[in-house]
Amino acid sequence: ASVVILEGESGTGKTRLLEELATRIRLAGGTVALVRAVEGDLDEPGSGIIGLARGGLLAAPGLPAAPAPALGAFAAILPEWADRFPAAAGALAPVQALPGVLGAALAEGPVLLAVDDAQWLDRASLLGLVAALRDSARAPLGVMLAAVPQPPRQELDEIRSRIGGDLPGAAVLLGPLDGRALRDLAAWALPGYDPIALERVCRRVASDSAGLALLAVELLSAVAHGLDLREGSVAWPSPMHTLTQSLPGELPDAVVAAFRIGYRRLSRDGQQVLAAAAVLDDRTTEALLARATGLEAAPTQAALDELEWQRWLESDGRGYGFVARLARRVIALDMVTPGQRARIRERAGAPPEIA
């Protein structure tokens, strides 16, 4: 039995990697139970285990051999389990029932229990998965947990600290794509581009996406589709407009949606400061952002710390700027009303925008 922790910022490919592994395990004859945790799960003990029971565990061979109370625990909650095991009954909690069900499933073949957004997994379910690894140490059981580093989760940190000791497994940190990876990706997406054109598009994509896999793929896809629609068009971006020329079409929906979700997960102060940073100059100072938002120094600093941890903003000697240029564009145009833009610029002492 082993555990894998996939950690990385939103958009680095955690979900894609997890799903790819799950697909390969299914093709090899294993059972996969996959659930994506949400914020509300934190306050619902056992909700993660119930999600796994609903997310594929019922398909495991060997389940009829599981103890009736264990089957009954899930049959009492989930209609699909009740349909398959109508006679099963029991008063066990889902976390208590998991060992019996897993034992029967593992006797027939490998099982992967996968949790996406594991930072939201309830404590009881998380500890239940660790207990399952201990109790099934010699069985073909895999537990995969994909999570973002912020907000921090003590239980995940404890599991990571035990990997290589009493818990076999690995912790995999996914980061932004580097220059070589972006060039390989661009060469695959744009086979008609020559090396010079590929280098230009890679510089633009690196600047706009900050190397986040989700954004890089969507941008290159947009370029490819734009070229397909304009027969004989020149390569994007053009040689003299590498960092300024607009995309060949509208921003992909996936890009806008990804930024919207990330924006709404921020605190109220974080949203205010990020909106102000998007409306003002490329680089802004803490004092200017405090003036533009009307926040006191302490909440402004807390918001800036949050935005740095969440990889929205980065700081250098000139002030704060966006990690991904594309993020600034989406926030400024999609998450801020014209009235808000005007008030932000007025409070900051910036000249009004020309329509």
Side-chain angles (χ1 to χ4, degrees):
S2 59
V3 60
V4 175
I5 295 180
L6 294 177
E7 186 177 88
E9 302 293 341
S10 297
T12 51
K14 299 183 303 299
T15 298
R16 179 71 183 84
L17 182 56
L18 186 151
E19 291 175 347
E20 180 68 19
L21 179 61
T23 297
R24 295 187 183 204
I25 289 176
R26 288 191 189 100
L27 291 174
T31 297
V32 175
L34 173 62
V35 65
R36 183 168 193 169
V38 296
E39 234 174 308
D41 290 337
L42 277 174
D43 300 322
E44 295 291 334
S47 58
I49 300 300
I50 295 172
L52 289 169
R54 185 184 287 117
L57 193 54
L58 185 59
L63 282 190
L71 295 174
F74 294 111
I77 301 171
L78 303 173
E80 57 268 35
W81 282 70
D83 290 342
R84 184 171 176 187
F85 304 108
L92 294 176
V95 175
Q96 296 171 319
L98 182 64
V101 170
L102 268 184
L106 289 167
E108 296 295 328
V111 176
L112 173 69
L113 304 178
V115 182
D116 199 4
D117 280 337
Q119 72 274 6
W120 303 126
L121 190 63
D122 65 284
R123 176 178 171 81
S125 295
L126 196 50
L127 296 181
L129 292 177
V130 175
L133 288 166
R134 178 201 63 199
D135 298 339
S136 305
R138 295 185 178 277
L141 171 65
V143 172
M144 177 168 279
L145 307 170
V148 296
Q150 294 290 329
R153 186 71 189 274
Q154 180 180 347
E155 293 88 346
L156 288 175
D157 289 338
E158 291 173 354
I159 294 173
R160 189 185 296 105
S161 70
R162 293 170 57 186
I163 292 176
D166 62 324
L167 282 180
V172 180
L173 179 63
L174 299 180
L177 301 177
D178 59 19
R180 180 175 179 178
L182 284 174
R183 282 191 294 273
D184 290 344
L185 187 62
W188 168 80
L190 306 169
Y193 274 41
D194 60 43
I196 296 176
L198 280 176
E199 187 62 30
R200 285 198 302 270
V201 77
C202 284
R203 288 201 303 270
R204 173 63 191 266
V205 170
S207 176
D208 280 350
S209 71
L212 291 180
L214 169 67
L215 303 184
V217 169
E218 292 295 339
L219 284 173
L220 289 170
S221 177
V223 175
H225 283 88
L227 294 174
D228 288 343
L229 293 173
R230 298 182 299 161
E231 183 176 356
S233 63
V234 297
W236 177 92
S238 63
M240 302 304 294
H241 301 87
T242 301
L243 294 179
T244 57
Q245 187 185 5
S246 62
L247 289 170
E250 294 297 321
L251 280 176
D253 289 341
V255 171
V256 177
F259 283 128
R260 283 176 175 171
I261 291 170
Y263 178 82
R264 288 174 180 141
R265 285 180 175 172
L266 295 171
S267 66
R268 183 179 178 83
D269 290 346
Q271 291 181 15
Q272 284 186 268
V273 172
L274 189 65
V279 170
L280 299 174
D281 295 332
D282 282 347
R283 290 280 168 177
T284 54
T285 64
E286 177 187 322
L288 185 60
L289 289 169
R291 191 161 67 245
T293 57
L295 295 173
E296 299 292 335
T300 300
Q301 291 169 0
L304 286 170
D305 289 344
E306 176 187 9
L307 295 171
E308 279 197 276
W309 277 114
Q310 299 284 358
R311 294 283 296 162
W312 285 96
L313 299 181
E314 59 184 356
S315 175
D316 62 19
R318 297 172 296 160
Y320 289 90
F322 276 83
V323 173
R325 285 162 31 97
L326 198 59
R328 182 188 180 199
R329 174 181 172 185
V330 172
I331 298 302
L333 297 180
D334 206 55
M335 307 304 294
V336 184
T337 67
Q340 289 174 318
R341 295 175 65 89
R343 289 192 296 272
I344 288 171
R345 296 186 68 83
E346 181 180 359
R347 288 194 294 262
E353 292 180 311
I354 300 175

